[in-house]
Tab-separated table of all heavy atoms in Angstrom:
chain	number	residue	atom	x	y	z
A	39	PRO	N	-26.545	-16.943	-103.333
A	39	PRO	CA	-25.714	-16.701	-104.547
A	39	PRO	C	-25.554	-15.240	-104.814
A	39	PRO	O	-26.516	-14.448	-104.657
A	39	PRO	CB	-26.534	-17.406	-105.659
A	39	PRO	CG	-27.352	-18.439	-104.951
A	39	PRO	CD	-27.726	-17.848	-103.609
A	60	THR	N	-1.733	12.927	-101.414
A	60	THR	CA	-1.707	12.353	-100.063
A	60	THR	C	-1.620	13.492	-99.056
A	60	THR	O	-1.068	14.564	-99.315
A	60	THR	CB	-0.514	11.394	-99.922
A	60	THR	OG1	0.744	12.160	-100.014
A	60	THR	CG2	-0.535	10.298	-100.923
A	63	ALA	N	1.101	12.395	-92.250
A	63	ALA	CA	0.822	12.442	-90.818
A	63	ALA	C	1.080	13.859	-90.238
A	63	ALA	O	0.370	14.330	-89.390
A	63	ALA	CB	1.605	11.397	-90.095
A	76	TYR	N	-11.497	14.397	-91.467
A	76	TYR	CA	-11.617	13.931	-92.865
A	76	TYR	C	-12.649	12.807	-92.991
A	76	TYR	O	-12.792	12.178	-94.054
A	76	TYR	CB	-10.278	13.501	-93.393
A	76	TYR	CG	-9.229	14.598	-93.401
A	76	TYR	CD1	-8.435	14.839	-92.311
A	76	TYR	CD2	-9.125	15.421	-94.524
A	76	TYR	CE1	-7.478	15.842	-92.314
A	76	TYR	CE2	-8.145	16.448	-94.535
A	76	TYR	CZ	-7.341	16.640	-93.404
A	76	TYR	OH	-6.398	17.675	-93.431
A	78	LEU	N	-12.588	9.945	-91.351
A	78	LEU	CA	-11.897	8.683	-91.364
A	78	LEU	C	-11.801	8.071	-90.008
A	78	LEU	O	-11.262	6.960	-89.856
A	78	LEU	CB	-10.480	8.854	-91.978
A	78	LEU	CG	-10.488	9.124	-93.472
A	78	LEU	CD1	-9.120	9.587	-93.948
A	78	LEU	CD2	-10.908	7.867	-94.269
A	98	ILE	N	-13.120	4.669	-96.041
A	98	ILE	CA	-13.617	5.754	-96.884
A	98	ILE	C	-14.125	6.847	-96.003
A	98	ILE	O	-14.966	6.648	-95.126
A	98	ILE	CB	-14.712	5.294	-97.848
A	98	ILE	CG1	-14.196	4.102	-98.693
A	98	ILE	CG2	-15.230	6.412	-98.717
A	98	ILE	CD1	-15.281	3.503	-99.578
A	108	ARG	N	-12.656	11.795	-102.675
A	108	ARG	CA	-12.904	11.404	-101.284
A	108	ARG	C	-11.570	11.096	-100.639
A	108	ARG	O	-10.598	10.690	-101.260
A	108	ARG	CB	-13.800	10.139	-101.232
A	108	ARG	CG	-15.288	10.465	-101.229
A	108	ARG	CD	-16.106	9.229	-100.995
A	108	ARG	NE	-17.534	9.493	-100.990
A	108	ARG	CZ	-18.233	9.853	-99.929
A	108	ARG	NH1	-17.639	9.928	-98.751
A	108	ARG	NH2	-19.523	10.080	-100.061
A	137	ARG	N	-27.072	-9.570	-104.223
A	137	ARG	CA	-27.633	-10.897	-104.365
A	137	ARG	C	-27.967	-11.160	-105.844
A	137	ARG	O	-28.346	-10.252	-106.554
A	137	ARG	CB	-28.914	-11.033	-103.545
A	137	ARG	CG	-28.720	-11.122	-102.076
A	137	ARG	CD	-29.933	-11.753	-101.439
A	137	ARG	NE	-30.070	-11.488	-100.036
A	137	ARG	CZ	-30.957	-12.046	-99.239
A	137	ARG	NH1	-31.840	-12.860	-99.776
A	137	ARG	NH2	-30.982	-11.760	-97.956
A	139	THR	N	-30.106	-11.878	-108.830
A	139	THR	CA	-31.524	-11.601	-109.041
A	139	THR	C	-32.194	-12.589	-109.988
A	139	THR	O	-33.343	-12.334	-110.471
A	139	THR	CB	-31.696	-10.142	-109.615
A	139	THR	OG1	-30.908	-10.039	-110.812
A	139	THR	CG2	-31.223	-9.123	-108.607
A	155	HIS	N	-47.267	-28.260	-109.779
A	155	HIS	CA	-48.365	-28.667	-108.818
A	155	HIS	C	-49.259	-27.425	-108.640
A	155	HIS	O	-48.776	-26.327	-108.329
A	155	HIS	CB	-47.762	-29.056	-107.498
A	155	HIS	CG	-46.918	-30.295	-107.539
A	155	HIS	ND1	-47.289	-31.486	-107.037
A	155	HIS	CD2	-45.709	-30.504	-108.107
A	155	HIS	CE1	-46.357	-32.393	-107.210
A	155	HIS	NE2	-45.321	-31.799	-107.857
A	207	PRO	N	-38.523	-16.988	-93.177
A	207	PRO	CA	-39.727	-16.430	-92.575
A	207	PRO	C	-40.432	-17.462	-91.677
A	207	PRO	O	-40.441	-18.653	-92.009
A	207	PRO	CB	-40.601	-16.012	-93.784
A	207	PRO	CG	-40.144	-16.941	-94.894
A	207	PRO	CD	-38.646	-17.158	-94.640
A	225	GLN	N	-41.253	-27.864	-109.617
A	225	GLN	CA	-40.216	-28.740	-109.187
A	225	GLN	C	-39.422	-29.204	-110.358
A	225	GLN	O	-39.954	-29.653	-111.388
A	225	GLN	CB	-40.757	-29.991	-108.436
A	225	GLN	CG	-41.455	-29.659	-107.130
A	225	GLN	CD	-41.980	-30.897	-106.414
A	225	GLN	OE1	-41.738	-32.005	-106.860
A	225	GLN	NE2	-42.728	-30.677	-105.343
Side-chain angles (χ1 to χ4, degrees):
T60 63
Y76 298 90
L78 291 167
I98 303 174
R108 274 188 180 269
R137 289 200 198 187
T139 56
H155 296 251
Q225 295 180 6

